[in-house]
């Protein structure tokens, strides 16, 4: 079986013989099958990238939330005190950069 037919044969197994026959005798149909195989390969690639991206995104969102909670806890405690009240706007200004 030609590797460019894998996707189309898997998609339409009941037409395997007809597909194989048409690919040999019909250039337009062969081109359609090749395009379909390329499309399926790209979809699989994008799907894999998307799943990896979603996994990374979820991981970083969890880390961000944990860090924010830890920072807020630290700020609410008495551990952090300004030496000079004027330092607070300075810190806030530079934390937004």
């Amino acid at each position: 079986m030609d590797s460019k037919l894998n996707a189309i044969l898997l998609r339409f197994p009941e037409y395997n013989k007809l597909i194989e026959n048409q690919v040999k005798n019909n250039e337009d149909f062969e081109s359609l099958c090749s395009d379909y195989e390329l499309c399926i390969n790209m979809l699989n690639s994008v799907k894999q990238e998307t799943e990896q991206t979603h996994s990374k995104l979820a991981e970083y969102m969890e880390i961000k939330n944990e860090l924010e909670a830890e920072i807020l806890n630290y700020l609410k405690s008495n551990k952090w005190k300004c030496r000079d009240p004027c330092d607070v706007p300075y810190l806030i200004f530079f934390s937004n950069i």
Side-chain angles (χ1 to χ4, degrees):
M1 169 173 46
D2 192 345
S3 65
K4 69 182 177 188
L5 297 179
N6 287 340
I8 197 77
L9 292 173
L10 287 171
R11 174 62 181 92
F12 301 107
E14 66 275 17
Y15 295 102
N16 282 359
K17 296 282 186 200
L18 181 58
I19 291 168
E20 290 172 355
N21 184 42
Q22 287 301 305
V23 166
K24 290 178 187 174
N25 300 311
N26 185 329
E27 286 182 27
D28 291 337
F29 186 74
E30 180 184 15
S31 179
L32 282 173
C33 292
S34 293
D35 290 347
Y36 184 77
E37 185 73 27
L38 289 172
C39 179
I40 293 299
N41 289 339
M42 290 305 299
L43 282 171
N44 289 336
S45 176
V46 169
K47 181 180 176 187
Q48 183 179 3
E49 291 171 9
T50 301
E51 289 170 355
Q52 291 171 351
T53 300
H54 282 277
S55 175
K56 286 180 183 177
L57 181 61
E59 181 181 345
Y60 280 107
M61 288 298 292
E62 183 178 339
I63 292 169
K64 176 187 110 24
N65 292 339
E66 290 171 0
L67 289 170
E68 286 175 353
E70 191 172 339
I71 290 168
L72 184 58
N73 188 30
Y74 187 79
L75 293 173
K76 287 183 174 183
S77 73
N78 289 326
K79 296 177 186 175
W80 184 75
K81 294 183 180 181
C82 288
R83 292 187 190 126
D84 181 351
C86 294
D87 289 345
V88 174
Y90 179 79
L91 291 172
I92 292 170
F93 173 77
F94 281 99
S95 68
N96 292 327
I97 293 178

